[in-house]
């Protein structure tokens, strides 16, 4: 197959996969009586090359998510016209590059990281849009603050000048049991409601991935983070042994 044919084929595949994901999102919205357009799709491009991002972007997808700081910074600098979301664990020595190249960060789980991101956000850029990551499953291995720490963290983040607090994010325990999936997502939604009752205006619930986006949408997700259902199976990971995913 020629390179041109190959590229046309991959465009067609990506367009089909993206359409299938949108179909699932639309169905889930409708099934729970939510308005069309109430869920944003983040295409998680971690481990895939920039050409794959270009192919998916050419199908109309604008927002992309990355887990690994250097890989994400490289892609975001190469395609500054796209919207970039950081969704991986954050080490404090990586905050500067993230603050300089990303539009959103979903994985703030401690104050120190929030303070560094705010201090390092370049003045010429709009505030970094951020979510607090909450550990809703209580597993030791997962990152995220404890549910009962989330409000205090929100309170402090709201004072930081170069961050705009948008909502909560969770990566629940992976399970095929829909009831368990829904219970974990409901917990995050409940927490958002509680925090908003204290005078906050969190408008984002970042939850749901390729395998559980229906459950997440039925429990109020406003942003789903979808990787393999759009890009295909990841064939390698550069995940440090100490972090999940
Ligand atoms: C990898 C990843 C995703 C996407 O996972 P898929 O199962 O491929 O859809 C979503 N969110 C986070 C935080 C991830 O690390």
């Amino acid at each position: 197959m020629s390179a041109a044919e190959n590229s046309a084929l991959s465009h067609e595949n990506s367009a089909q996969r993206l359409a299938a994901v949108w179909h699932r999102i639309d169905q889930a919205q409708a099934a729970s009586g939510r308005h069309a357009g109430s869920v944003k799709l983040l295409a998680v491009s971690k481990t895939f090359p920039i050409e794959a991002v270009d192919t998916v972007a050419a199908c109309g997808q604008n927002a992309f998510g990355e887990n690994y700081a250097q890989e994400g910074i490289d892609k975001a600098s190469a395609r500054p016209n796209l919207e970039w979301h950081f969704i991986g664990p954050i080490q404090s020595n990586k905050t500067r590059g993230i603050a300089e190249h990303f539009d959103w960060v979903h994985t703030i789980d401690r104050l120190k990281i929030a303070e560094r991101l705010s201090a390092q956000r370049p003045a010429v850029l709009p505030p970094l849009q951020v979510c607090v990551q909450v550990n809703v499953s209580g597993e030791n291995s997962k990152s995220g603050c404890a549910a009962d720490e989330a409000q205090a963290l929100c309170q402090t983040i709201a004072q930081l000048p170069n961050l705009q607090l948008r909502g909560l994010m969770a990566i629940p325990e992976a399970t095929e049991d829909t009831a368990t999936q829904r219970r974990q997502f409901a917990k995050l939604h409940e927490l958002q409601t509680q925090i908003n009752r204290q005078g906050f205006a969190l408008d984002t619930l970042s939850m749901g991935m390729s395998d559980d986006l229906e459950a997440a949408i039925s429990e109020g997700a406003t942003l789903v983070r979808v990787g393999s259902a759009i890009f295909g199976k990841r064939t390698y990971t550069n995940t440090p042994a100490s972090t999940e995913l």
Side-chain angles (χ1 to χ4, degrees), residues 38-118:
S38 59
V39 178
K40 177 178 170 117
L41 174 61
L42 183 65
V44 178
S45 46
K46 65 179 179 207
T47 80
F48 289 95
I50 195 71
E51 292 75 18
V53 170
D54 290 340
T55 305
V56 171
C59 301
Q61 175 66 28
N62 180 56
F64 291 85
E66 288 285 332
N67 275 63
Y68 309 108
Q70 196 53 53
E71 179 185 346
I73 290 164
D74 291 346
K75 288 180 195 165
S77 343
R79 298 294 182 269
N81 53 317
L82 298 173
E83 184 180 288
W84 291 95
H85 294 233
F86 193 77
I87 61 171
I90 306 176
Q91 292 161 341
S92 55
N93 63 346
K94 295 291 168 53
T95 50
R96 181 176 299 280
I98 293 170
E100 288 175 350
H101 292 96
F102 281 81
D103 301 292
W104 282 70
V105 172
H106 293 228
T107 40
I108 295 186
D109 61 1
R110 57 196 194 277
L111 184 57
K112 181 184 177 194
I113 297 297
E115 286 172 339
R116 290 178 66 94
L117 288 170
S118 181

Side-chain angles (χ1 to χ4, degrees), residues 17-231:
R17 286 195 183 119
L18 199 58
V21 169
W22 272 116
H23 182 70
R24 288 174 60 193
I25 293 172
D26 290 342
Q27 298 276 95
Q29 279 176 154
S32 48
R34 298 184 54 189
H35 295 295
S38 59
V39 178
K40 177 178 170 117
L41 174 61
L42 183 65
V44 178
S45 46
K46 65 179 179 207
T47 80
F48 289 95
I50 195 71
E51 292 75 18
V53 170
D54 290 340
T55 305
V56 171
C59 301
Q61 175 66 28
N62 180 56
F64 291 85
E66 288 285 332
N67 275 63
Y68 309 108
Q70 196 53 53
E71 179 185 346
I73 290 164
D74 291 346
K75 288 180 195 165
S77 343
R79 298 294 182 269
N81 53 317
L82 298 173
E83 184 180 288
W84 291 95
H85 294 233
F86 193 77
I87 61 171
I90 306 176
Q91 292 161 341
S92 55
N93 63 346
K94 295 291 168 53
T95 50
R96 181 176 299 280
I98 293 170
E100 288 175 350
H101 292 96
F102 281 81
D103 301 292
W104 282 70
V105 172
H106 293 228
T107 40
I108 295 186
D109 61 1
R110 57 196 194 277
L111 184 57
K112 181 184 177 194
I113 297 297
E115 286 172 339
R116 290 178 66 94
L117 288 170
S118 181
Q120 293 168 342
R121 181 68 168 172
V124 294
L125 295 179
L128 193 58
Q129 309 296 298
V130 303
C131 293
V132 166
Q133 182 178 1
V134 182
N135 180 349
V136 289
S137 51
E139 288 172 277
N140 293 334
S141 62
K142 298 274 178 185
S143 32
C145 71
D148 61 7
E149 296 167 355
Q151 187 175 323
L153 192 50
C154 285
Q155 211 116 35
T156 330
I157 289 174
Q159 316 292 321
L160 295 173
N162 300 319
L163 302 187
Q164 184 172 0
L165 179 63
R166 295 297 299 271
L168 304 178
M169 178 270 203
I171 312 172
E173 181 190 354
T175 167
E176 286 176 13
D177 178 47
T178 318
T180 307
Q181 291 173 0
R182 289 188 61 154
R183 197 170 336 108
Q184 300 186 79
F185 292 134
K187 207 165 156 185
L188 196 71
H189 194 176
E190 170 76 7
L191 193 56
Q192 178 201 29
T193 306
Q194 271 176 30
I195 292 173
N196 280 348
R197 257 192 234 120
Q198 305 304 313
F200 291 85
L202 306 183
D203 64 6
T204 300
L205 272 185
S206 166
M207 57 189 198
M209 322 203 298
S210 293
D211 292 337
D212 57 10
L213 68 88
E214 283 85 359
I217 290 171
S218 70
E219 296 298 342
T222 65
L223 183 153
V224 290
R225 309 177 308 264
V226 179
S228 44
I230 295 173
F231 289 96

Side-chain angles (χ1 to χ4, degrees), residues 68 237-245:
Y68 309 108
T237 66
N238 57 8
T239 310
S242 61
T243 58
E244 79 275 16
L245 296 166

